[in-house]
Amino acid sequence: MVRTMLRIGLTGGIGSGKSAVADCFAALGIEVIDADAVAREVVAPGSPALAEIAAAFGGQFLDREGRLDRARLRAHVFEDPQGRKRLEAILHPRIRTVMEERAGQAQGPYCVLVIPLLLEAGQRDLVDRVLVVDTPVETQYARVAARDGLDRKQIDAILAAQLGRRERLAQADDVVVNDGDLDTLRRRVVDLDRRYRAMAGAQG
């Protein structure tokens, strides 16, 4: 019988530290498949998705080299819920297809799929377990403001498009709290890695 690899869905609100957690898993030799990286690939110049986005939203969202101006488009759709749904309808099926292909080809005891909108986009069926990175809300604001230069109103708009902290935690199979330094986070991920390797061994 063909063994189905254990898939862990890593998610969390903006500024929660998903990338830091993903890096910790990668350092332990676990294959990480990042939806944001895939999203950039599917809108590469000349791609069908980019052509569809330009047709739906206009050429003003492409830069001089014909690449998608992601920041400009993101700002636009956060002000336009219908526009956001239209964009998601273009991107999400394509991203999902690539994520599934790469998860099917992954090597190792288990793999981690980093999907920021895993729960919001109804993609729970892509993974076996949901791992939520949980961070105090004020820490999220501080991190996003420092990283992206956004003001509180802009961060509010992004958070409003995501599940609330309590609702996200209610849907989690596992939680890693990211409220300390990197060494603390690494130790917490090592504990999770140990558990996932045991689960994968029992499943195999």
Side-chain angles (χ1 to χ4, degrees):
M1 186 175 73
V2 177
R3 176 177 176 274
T4 302
M5 177 179 285
L6 179 67
R7 298 179 183 182
I8 307 301
L10 174 60
T11 193
I14 187 170
S16 59
K18 295 181 293 296
S19 295
V21 173
D23 288 345
C24 290
F25 277 110
L28 294 169
I30 299 303
E31 190 157 344
V32 174
I33 306 163
D34 189 337
D36 280 346
V38 173
R40 287 190 287 272
E41 292 175 27
V42 300
V43 296
S47 66
L50 186 61
E52 205 171 326
I53 290 169
F57 295 94
Q60 69 269 28
F61 293 104
L62 304 183
D63 65 18
R64 291 182 180 179
E65 284 74 40
R67 296 172 303 199
L68 183 64
D69 187 336
R70 290 165 56 86
R72 187 176 184 186
L73 182 58
R74 182 171 58 243
H76 173 74
V77 298
F78 273 119
E79 299 290 331
D80 176 14
Q82 288 305 117
R84 187 170 72 245
K85 288 180 181 177
R86 192 157 68 244
L87 179 64
E88 289 172 351
I90 294 169
L91 293 179
H92 285 180
R94 290 179 167 94
I95 295 169
R96 181 188 177 102
T97 296
V98 175
M99 298 286 283
E100 287 182 321
E101 287 174 354
R102 293 187 181 169
Q105 297 164 359
Q107 302 295 313
Y110 65 93
C111 63
V112 172
L113 283 66
V114 186
I115 309 177
L117 298 179
L118 172 68
L119 301 173
E120 292 88 341
Q123 296 184 333
R124 176 67 176 80
D125 63 310
L126 256 178
V127 299
D128 299 303
R129 297 184 71 82
V130 173
L131 170 59
V132 167
V133 186
D134 185 48
T135 304
V137 174
E138 286 305 316
T139 303
Q140 287 181 266
Y141 276 104
R143 286 176 180 165
V144 176
R147 183 188 69 194
D148 299 334
L150 302 181
D151 61 30
R152 197 171 183 92
K153 182 180 178 182
Q154 291 170 308
I155 299 170
D156 281 338
I158 295 171
L159 289 173
Q162 300 181 342
L163 285 181
R165 184 182 180 190
R166 183 177 299 178
E167 191 175 357
R168 186 182 293 108
L169 288 171
Q171 297 189 52
D173 295 302
D174 307 297
V175 177
V176 57
V177 178
N178 183 20
D179 60 353
D181 59 23
L182 189 55
D183 283 341
T184 300
L185 184 64
R186 286 192 187 107
R187 287 194 295 273
R188 290 170 178 170
V189 172
V190 165
D191 288 342
L192 283 165
D193 174 67
R194 191 177 299 118
R195 288 177 52 205
Y196 292 151
R197 286 176 188 270
M199 287 179 191
Q203 177 176 301

